[in-house]
Amino acid sequence: MNETIGDRAAAMLAKAATISEPGPGVTRLPFTPEHAHANDLIAGWMQAAGLDTHRDAAGTLIGRREGATPDAPTFLLGSHQDSVRGGGAYDGIMGVLLPVLALEQLHDTPLPFAVEVLCFADEEGVRFPTALIGPRALAGTLDPAVLDMADRSGLRLGEALEGFGDPAAIGSIARAPGSVMGYLETHIEQGPVLEAEDLPVGIVTAIAGIERHAVTITGRAAHAGTAPMTLRKDALCAAAELVTGVERICGETENAVGTIGHLEVAPNVVNAVPAEVVATIELRSAEDVIRAEVASRVAEVARQATDRRGCALRMERTYQQPAKACAPELQDALEAAVAATGVRPLRLMSGATHDASAIADLCPMAMLFVRCREGVSHHPDEYAAPEDMGCAVGVLVNVLRGLAATDTQGAASRSS
Amino acid sequence: MNETIGDRAAAMLAKAATISEPGPGVTRLPFTPEHAHANDLIAGWMQAAGLDTHRDAAGTLIGRREGATPDAPTFLLGSHQDSVRGGGAYDGIMGVLLPVLALEQLHDTPLPFAVEVLCFADEEGVRFPTALIGPRALAGTLDPAVLDMADRSGLRLGEALEGFGDPAAIGSIARAPGSVMGYLETHIEQGPVLEAEDLPVGIVTAIAGIERHAVTITGRAAHAGTAPMTLRKDALCAAAELVTGVERICGETENAVGTIGHLEVAPNVVNAVPAEVVATIELRSAEDVIRAEVASRVAEVARQATDRRGCALRMERTYQQPAKACAPELQDALEAAVAATGVRPLRLMSGATHDASAIADLCPMAMLFVRCREGVSHHPDEYAAPEDMGCAVGVLVNVLRGLAATDTQGAASRSS
């Protein structure tokens, strides 16, 4: 039996996964010996696929093929090389290697535009209290102050970057907007939707915006035997109404999710009516207006649930990150490319944040999701099937071919 | 202004409250120097009220006045001397001192029956992993094995009892049922009902039965961004439906309370769908059949809440204690006695357990509750107003007079 493209992707990812700190799963942090080792391996694969490789000032490994003319715009593909601690073999790096395999297939196919595969250093933000250095540098949105942030050993990011990039030049690598056609990131879904829909790949509509609220509900401690139901101020009952309220509101709303993931009860003993609950509400949506509407309804439920029980409510938004929409024209290009492989095109939101969210400040961006077994990610059990990865490579090939045809037609119509 | 009976009660309780381990509030554990010191003080007050004092084999201080004849039955009053750690000045000991004041008032009033005021050693169960030694010994229900239980220092209960009672004789002090007319315990309410009803005292209908259930709800951990609402198994959402279910069911049911006081979420982080919740359900009711019905409805809510979300449910009853009804004839006697003081007689359940629950195995028992400020008990802020305690003394006087009249009529009718 011949080795398929998917099998090759699986073999490459398995090899890359061995480049890790000791311990279960993959632990590959940015600007470490493991990072350097992984870059060497990936650069070799890029070169074998006909790409010229270099690293930019932010430590991003770039494999490039030139366009038909020196001033041709560049189409970007890629993702990140780093992992969480004890993570999986797919998150990030699969989105670097599948484009390499796609460009290998297109080695002899002329494309009017240049193509770059970007291997970003740091998306997970595990080592330093920041992330997305590479894409932000390209988009010109990097705050140079992050270079002074230190890791647990006290080493500054700027120092760690030496040998990978050039901290002094990091402000100068922002791309001119017109020079870049777009960015397409391939990523394991990290969720259960494609598995539930029995689809190998899916087209991302947007990277969800996120907001978080810290909630404190204060009732009144009471003896669980002597306090009648009518004279209680039970903080947990109020919180419980809020929990099911978030579930109901988000369940009724398309493209939104909401979670109370953290909740603590005081005094938290079997025979005391709960006096206080602290909890966090996290809301995500592909559209900021939807998220705002959900947040408003959730706040109203919190008010009613606490008022009805005579409890006090403190609710404070502690974090907010706007949604980043995927470019409609790139979504359409992906839809045509997916359909051309015989797969039903499904569009879905990305609940997690990706490099693409930072690149969105530079150019149109899009994302292709690959099915994720049981939705498990950031864990040694993370898995994408070889055949699904093969399908994704086919989609990337189709997208690049489609963009080339459009670009050629565009050039033809411009010259006519 | 003359000192009222209530003022005297307050002064006596304040004095007794000084007999405590150091620290905030009152800490007076059984079979300690503080216990001995408190017994001396109380015995002096009993003697001043015309009572003969002695201690029984279980370490209960008893103040007794004889009846009209040597074989006259005995009516029991009293409560316990011990406190929780850092407790208040009223819980327990107020129910010893108010009867002493009532008997002082009745010093020159002939009563056909004997009266004893019992000052039990240990109701709170703070020092040893058992409680209610005194009333159980009187009722003949004491398991002698408890004498081998040790406190934190390793001292056995039997050893601690030496110098207060007689562990070897503890099995022999059970009263003959016909020798005891009944037991009436006066106690601070430890709840907010009388305050809400603006009443100084209330008549207890029953000491609630209790059951507890340990609940484990197992869902599935998921990323709070990537898991759509429809594909979640959120253990906290299921638990929240259970929490509000308990609140609703008990709110609809007379004479029942239910509480989820303890609840813990795993993994309990802001951006993860909760995978597991462990919680305890506590249900109390004045009637065991009502409690069983509530438990059955709660279990059904737990089943539905977990089934609907694809979560697994484990629910196990870990504790059960039957309700103890107050004797109807003593409730009626209390009602007449309360009404005679000009106070509206209100009947209410006792959600907490008391010495009376153990005495119920010996004779008819009843309880008189005294209003508790803000329902706060087991805390240095515990407070009953002097005028409310004065009212309670008046009720006790009326009850004893009423029982004497009934007894005399009974004797008259028996002799007619």
Side-chain angles (χ1 to χ4, degrees):
Chain A
M1 214 169 77
N2 287 331
E3 188 181 42
T4 64
I5 291 275
D7 293 336
R8 285 187 57 208
M12 291 160 77
L13 285 163
K15 186 157 187 188
T18 64
I19 305 172
S20 166
E21 291 182 24
V26 177
T27 302
R28 194 169 52 240
L29 306 190
F31 315 126
T32 58
E34 292 79 24
H35 181 186
H37 186 173
N39 269 1
D40 289 346
L41 182 69
I42 297 163
W45 285 326
M46 286 174 163
Q47 290 155 12
L51 306 179
D52 297 325
T53 62
H54 70 286
R55 288 196 305 256
D56 74 10
T60 303
L61 170 66
I62 302 176
R64 177 176 171 92
R65 78 176 244 177
E66 296 298 335
T69 59
D71 61 345
T74 305
F75 190 76
L76 306 175
L77 299 148
S79 190
H80 59 97
Q81 68 83 31
D82 66 319
S83 73
V84 296
R85 290 190 187 277
Y90 300 82
D91 183 346
I93 192 164
M94 184 185 76
V96 177
L97 299 184
L98 300 190
V100 170
L101 289 170
L103 289 170
E104 187 186 84
Q105 295 224 322
L106 291 169
H107 187 265
D108 300 322
T109 305
L111 297 173
F113 44 82
V115 181
E116 289 181 7
V117 179
L118 308 175
C119 178
F120 294 117
D122 179 21
E123 190 262 357
E124 301 290 359
V126 170
R127 180 172 178 190
F128 295 97
T130 184
L132 304 173
I133 303 152
R136 283 179 178 154
L138 293 183
T141 58
L142 185 74
D143 178 355
V146 302
L147 296 172
D148 286 327
M149 289 178 170
D151 68 8
R152 281 194 290 190
S153 77
L155 192 74
R156 290 172 49 250
L157 172 52
E159 295 168 296
L161 182 55
E162 301 275 5
F164 287 85
D166 179 359
I170 205 167
S172 66
I173 62 167
R175 303 286 177 100
S179 70
V180 181
M181 296 165 61
Y183 171 77
L184 171 57
E185 181 165 356
T186 308
H187 205 282
I188 192 163
E189 182 199 340
Q190 303 183 270
V193 174
L194 294 174
E195 189 172 67
E197 297 276 348
D198 196 20
L199 290 171
V201 296
I203 301 148
V204 175
T205 56
I207 294 172
I210 307 176
E211 64 186 270
R212 292 180 181 155
H213 299 261
V215 179
T216 302
I217 296 173
T218 307
R220 188 177 55 198
H223 187 296
T226 61
M229 303 308 286
T230 50
L231 295 176
R232 295 183 175 200
K233 299 180 177 180
D234 187 323
L236 181 57
C237 288
E241 186 173 328
L242 177 58
V243 169
T244 54
V246 168
E247 183 190 40
R248 183 183 69 274
I249 290 164
C250 294
E252 291 167 359
T253 310
E254 290 244 21
N255 284 321
V257 291
T259 308
I260 294 187
H262 172 259
L263 183 146
E264 297 199 11
V265 180
N268 210 28
V269 293
V270 58
N271 61 345
V273 175
E276 187 174 273
V277 169
V278 295
T280 55
I281 306 174
E282 195 196 79
L283 305 173
R284 304 196 188 206
S285 173
E287 293 181 44
D288 292 339
V289 296
I290 293 177
R291 179 163 52 80
E293 167 69 19
V294 166
S296 158
R297 290 181 63 194
V298 165
E300 182 56 29
V301 166
R303 262 190 300 276
Q304 289 179 4
T306 46
D307 280 356
R308 185 178 307 122
R309 294 174 179 85
C311 294
L313 170 69
R314 212 169 64 232
M315 185 166 165
E316 188 191 355
R317 191 168 64 194
T318 54
Y319 180 76
Q320 184 175 21
Q321 170 185 318
K324 299 282 185 173
C326 294
E329 67 275 17
L330 288 177
Q331 289 187 58
D332 292 345
L334 275 168
E335 175 154 339
V338 169
T341 66
V343 168
R344 172 168 62 89
L346 178 85
R347 299 194 184 204
L348 74 169
M349 169 183 97
S350 171
T353 299
H354 298 284
D355 292 293
S357 67
I359 289 283
D361 293 326
L362 169 66
C363 63
M365 67 83 181
M367 291 193 72
L368 179 68
F369 269 173
V370 178
R371 171 162 47 188
C372 175
R373 186 177 62 189
E374 292 180 15
V376 172
S377 183
H378 284 188
H379 188 278
D381 290 343
E382 184 180 80
Y383 178 77
E387 47 272 36
D388 294 351
M389 293 192 284
C391 172
V393 171
V395 170
L396 295 178
V397 166
N398 290 348
V399 164
L400 290 168
R401 283 205 167 108
L403 290 173
T406 313
D407 195 65
T408 307
Q409 288 165 12
S413 76
R414 279 196 297 278
S415 67
S416 70
Chain B
M1 216 168 79
N2 289 329
E3 187 181 43
T4 64
I5 290 277
D7 293 336
R8 284 187 57 209
M12 290 160 78
L13 286 163
K15 186 158 186 187
T18 63
I19 305 172
S20 165
E21 292 182 24
V26 178
T27 301
R28 193 169 53 239
L29 306 190
F31 315 125
T32 58
E34 292 78 24
H35 180 186
H37 186 172
N39 269 1
D40 289 345
L41 183 69
I42 296 164
W45 285 327
M46 286 174 164
Q47 289 155 14
L51 306 179
D52 297 325
T53 61
H54 71 286
R55 287 196 306 256
D56 74 10
T60 302
L61 170 66
I62 300 176
R64 177 175 172 91
R65 79 177 243 177
E66 296 299 334
T69 58
D71 61 344
T74 305
F75 189 76
L76 306 175
L77 298 149
S79 190
H80 59 96
Q81 68 82 32
D82 65 320
S83 73
V84 296
R85 289 190 187 278
Y90 300 81
D91 183 347
I93 191 164
M94 183 185 77
V96 177
L97 299 184
L98 300 189
V100 170
L101 289 169
L103 289 170
E104 188 187 83
Q105 295 224 322
L106 291 168
H107 187 264
D108 300 322
T109 305
L111 296 172
F113 45 81
V115 180
E116 289 181 6
V117 180
L118 308 175
C119 177
F120 294 118
D122 179 21
E123 191 262 356
E124 301 290 359
V126 171
R127 181 172 177 189
F128 295 97
T130 184
L132 303 173
I133 303 153
R136 283 180 178 153
L138 293 182
T141 58
L142 185 73
D143 178 356
V146 303
L147 295 173
D148 287 327
M149 289 178 170
D151 67 8
R152 282 193 290 191
S153 78
L155 192 74
R156 289 172 51 251
L157 171 51
E159 293 169 296
L161 183 54
E162 302 274 5
F164 287 83
D166 179 359
I170 204 168
S172 66
I173 63 166
R175 303 285 177 101
S179 71
V180 181
M181 295 165 62
Y183 172 78
L184 171 56
E185 182 165 357
T186 308
H187 204 281
I188 191 162
E189 183 200 339
Q190 302 183 271
V193 175
L194 294 174
E195 189 171 67
E197 298 276 349
D198 196 20
L199 290 172
V201 296
I203 301 149
V204 176
T205 55
I207 295 173
I210 306 175
E211 65 185 89
R212 292 180 181 154
H213 299 260
V215 178
T216 303
I217 295 173
T218 307
R220 188 175 56 197
H223 187 295
T226 61
M229 302 309 286
T230 49
L231 296 176
R232 295 182 175 198
K233 298 179 178 181
D234 187 324
L236 181 57
C237 288
E241 187 174 328
L242 177 59
V243 169
T244 53
V246 168
E247 183 190 39
R248 185 188 69 253
I249 290 163
C250 293
E252 292 166 359
T253 309
E254 289 244 22
N255 285 321
V257 291
T259 308
I260 294 187
H262 172 260
L263 183 145
E264 297 200 11
V265 181
N268 210 27
V269 292
V270 59
N271 61 346
V273 175
E276 187 173 273
V277 169
V278 295
T280 54
I281 306 174
E282 194 195 81
L283 306 173
R284 304 196 189 206
S285 173
E287 293 182 43
D288 292 339
V289 296
I290 293 177
R291 180 163 51 80
E293 166 69 17
V294 166
S296 158
R297 290 182 63 194
V298 165
E300 181 57 27
V301 167
R303 262 191 299 277
Q304 289 178 7
T306 47
D307 281 355
R308 185 178 306 124
R309 294 174 179 85
C311 295
L313 170 69
R314 213 169 66 232
M315 186 167 164
E316 187 191 357
R317 191 167 64 195
T318 54
Y319 181 77
Q320 184 173 222
Q321 169 185 319
K324 300 281 186 174
C326 294
E329 67 276 16
L330 288 177
Q331 290 187 58
D332 292 346
L334 275 168
E335 175 155 339
V338 168
T341 66
V343 168
R344 171 169 64 89
L346 179 84
R347 298 194 186 204
L348 74 168
M349 169 183 97
S350 171
T353 299
H354 298 285
D355 292 292
S357 67
I359 289 284
D361 293 326
L362 169 66
C363 63
M365 67 84 182
M367 290 193 72
L368 178 69
F369 269 173
V370 177
R371 171 161 48 187
C372 174
R373 186 177 63 190
E374 292 180 15
V376 172
S377 183
H378 283 188
H379 187 278
D381 290 343
E382 184 180 79
Y383 179 78
E387 47 273 34
D388 294 351
M389 293 192 284
C391 173
V393 171
V395 170
L396 295 179
V397 166
N398 290 348
V399 164
L400 291 168
R401 283 206 167 107
L403 290 172
T406 312
D407 194 67
T408 307
Q409 287 165 11
S413 74
R414 278 196 297 278
S415 66
S416 70

